[in-house]
Amino acid sequence: EDVQSEVYHALNRSNFYNQIYSSYKGSGVYGTNVLLEEEDLEDDIRFYSIPVKQQYIIEDARQRVAEFYLVFEYTAYQAYTRFGNAVSDKIKEEFNRGEKSSDKKYNFIYYIGRRHAFDPTKTDKFNMPIMTLWLEEESKKLVQEGGYKEMPAMAHRFEKRPFIAYGFSPAMKALPDVR
């Protein structure tokens, strides 16, 4: 009961309940949705429901989602406040000009997948079984590398078919061109 109480308390402090709604809605409309969970300094946990146009999933031989490629768009201000000096010089320059309201977006690719070579006796982020990489698309620069003990992303696939990574929803039958 104590653990259950702590889990509910953590979920209530986070943005879980407004993101899970988007996740269910996306799954019902498109047949596939990814819910990403990250540690957060203020709220302990932060969730992101990733729109279908920003998610690419790879299955293993047992048809389980094994890798995620997620595309995020950040302004220079958002990118710099998230990744700091690891961003490209172009983003640093725009950030230093103080253009917080700039509408220019930069694509970042977030890779999540199994780390095949690691030392399980070590507990640093480079020796966790799940590897995460943040890449700035335009400069092809690695801006952050991390690791998790468990997969931080969950893929829900409605009406999953063999050898097709994405799910199908009732709406997709009516709207095949959208898929």
Side-chain angles (χ1 to χ4, degrees):
E1 287 180 17
D2 290 343
V3 172
Q4 178 183 356
S5 177
E6 285 298 318
V7 168
Y8 284 143
H9 183 65
L11 291 176
N12 286 333
R13 275 196 327 261
S14 74
N15 66 334
F16 175 76
Y17 293 106
N18 69 20
Q19 291 299 300
I20 197 67
Y21 172 76
S22 298
S23 184
Y24 286 145
K25 186 176 177 184
S27 180
V29 172
Y30 299 109
T32 304
N33 198 282
V34 173
L35 186 64
L36 176 65
E37 176 259 326
E38 287 187 326
E39 294 177 14
D40 185 84
L41 293 175
E42 291 180 35
D43 302 325
D44 292 331
I45 308 169
R46 191 142 216 48
F47 292 90
Y48 301 92
S49 178
I50 309 299
V52 72
K53 72 178 185 173
Q54 294 174 227
Q55 55 179 267
Y56 303 90
I57 57 178
I58 308 296
E59 290 183 322
D60 63 13
R62 295 178 64 198
Q63 298 182 13
R64 298 172 301 187
V65 177
E67 297 178 5
F68 294 87
Y69 293 86
L70 308 175
V71 179
F72 286 79
E73 290 183 333
Y74 289 130
T75 63
Y77 176 75
Q78 291 169 328
Y80 191 84
T81 56
R82 178 166 187 135
F83 304 113
N85 281 326
V87 297
S88 67
D89 291 337
K90 185 176 181 179
I91 291 177
K92 286 180 201 173
E93 289 170 14
E94 187 175 331
F95 175 79
N96 289 330
R97 285 195 302 262
E99 299 175 15
K100 289 181 183 179
S101 63
S102 173
D103 290 337
K104 181 163 175 40
K105 302 272 186 166
Y106 298 89
N107 283 345
F108 288 81
I109 300 168
Y110 187 40
Y111 168 80
I112 306 167
R114 294 237 169 260
R115 188 185 310 270
H116 299 288
F118 67 96
D119 183 349
T121 63
K122 295 182 179 177
T123 58
D124 64 346
K125 64 183 178 181
F126 303 107
N127 285 290
M128 301 258 178
I130 305 298
M131 171 176 53
T132 62
L133 302 171
W134 280 96
L135 299 163
E136 187 180 326
E137 186 178 90
E138 187 176 321
S139 68
K140 296 178 179 38
K141 184 176 182 183
L142 177 66
V143 294
Q144 191 175 74
E145 182 175 354
Y148 288 90
K149 291 180 183 177
E150 298 175 351
M151 189 63 80
M154 298 142 271
H156 177 261
R157 299 174 293 169
F158 189 81
E159 196 180 323
K160 170 73 176 83
R161 296 179 185 169
F163 308 107
I164 298 174
Y166 298 90
F168 291 82
S169 73
M172 285 300 106
K173 292 175 186 172
L175 305 167
D177 292 338
V178 173
R179 190 175 188 329

